[in-house]
Amino acid sequence: MTKQRVSINGVTRWMEVESAAPVQAVPVVEEPKVVPLRQAIGEVLRDVRQRQGRTLREVSQKARVSLGYLSEVERGQKEASSELLAGICQALEIPMYQMLREVSDRMAMLEGVQVPDTIPAEMSEQYMMASVA
């Protein structure tokens, strides 16, 4: 009897198998890294604030959010409501769709999805035709 590594539903275990059969390595598939949405949103908000050279205190006052709560949102410890996110985005002077787009792109990269940085020609043509009509 020999032991062989077997992966079932993402759980890897060693199981005894007959030594008469050749032992084949079972590839271990890595699960994609899953980041909680609140953490990804917090990282983007912090990055935007830091790129602007603004302090947590400035943004919290302008957004009318306590400094401690905003800090927890940026660290991904608190789940911000859509109203709160709208206030923070307004204080940062960025549209919410832009912040959410950056969150989406980051999550896609972590999951190994290629995000196109251009609009496909077919989609562009459809949009142009719809805006003319």
Side-chain angles (χ1 to χ4, degrees):
M1 292 283 223
T2 60
K3 291 197 175 213
Q4 179 178 354
R5 188 165 54 173
V6 177
S7 181
I8 301 171
N9 293 333
V11 178
T12 303
R13 295 196 173 132
W14 290 93
M15 297 182 71
E16 290 189 11
V17 295
E18 294 290 326
S19 58
V23 177
Q24 295 181 357
V26 176
V28 178
V29 178
E30 279 191 37
E31 296 291 322
K33 185 177 179 184
V34 177
V35 175
L37 181 60
R38 69 177 183 276
Q39 186 176 341
I41 289 172
E43 289 172 0
V44 169
L45 291 173
R46 174 178 283 144
D47 286 350
V48 169
R49 178 180 59 78
Q50 289 176 341
R51 281 191 302 239
Q52 294 177 355
R54 299 175 65 192
T55 66
L56 200 57
R57 185 173 307 282
E58 287 176 66
V59 175
S60 70
Q61 287 173 348
K62 193 164 182 183
R64 297 184 181 169
V65 177
S66 77
L67 186 128
Y69 194 80
L70 181 57
S71 175
E72 288 179 312
V73 168
E74 282 191 358
R75 287 181 282 144
Q77 295 177 338
K78 292 288 183 186
E79 190 100 32
S81 68
S82 58
E83 291 85 5
L84 182 67
L85 287 175
I88 295 169
C89 287
Q90 188 173 12
L92 290 169
E93 299 172 357
I94 62 165
M96 190 182 304
Y97 78 85
Q98 184 178 342
M99 182 271 299
L100 292 172
R101 174 65 190 259
E102 194 169 329
V103 169
S104 174
D105 291 349
R106 284 179 185 220
M107 293 185 80
M109 276 192 337
L110 287 172
E111 292 176 5
V113 176
Q114 294 292 332
V115 179
D117 59 353
T118 58
I119 299 173
E122 308 83 48
M123 184 180 270
S124 178
E125 289 171 10
Q126 284 179 333
Y127 179 75
M128 291 302 288
M129 291 175 73
S131 64
V132 173

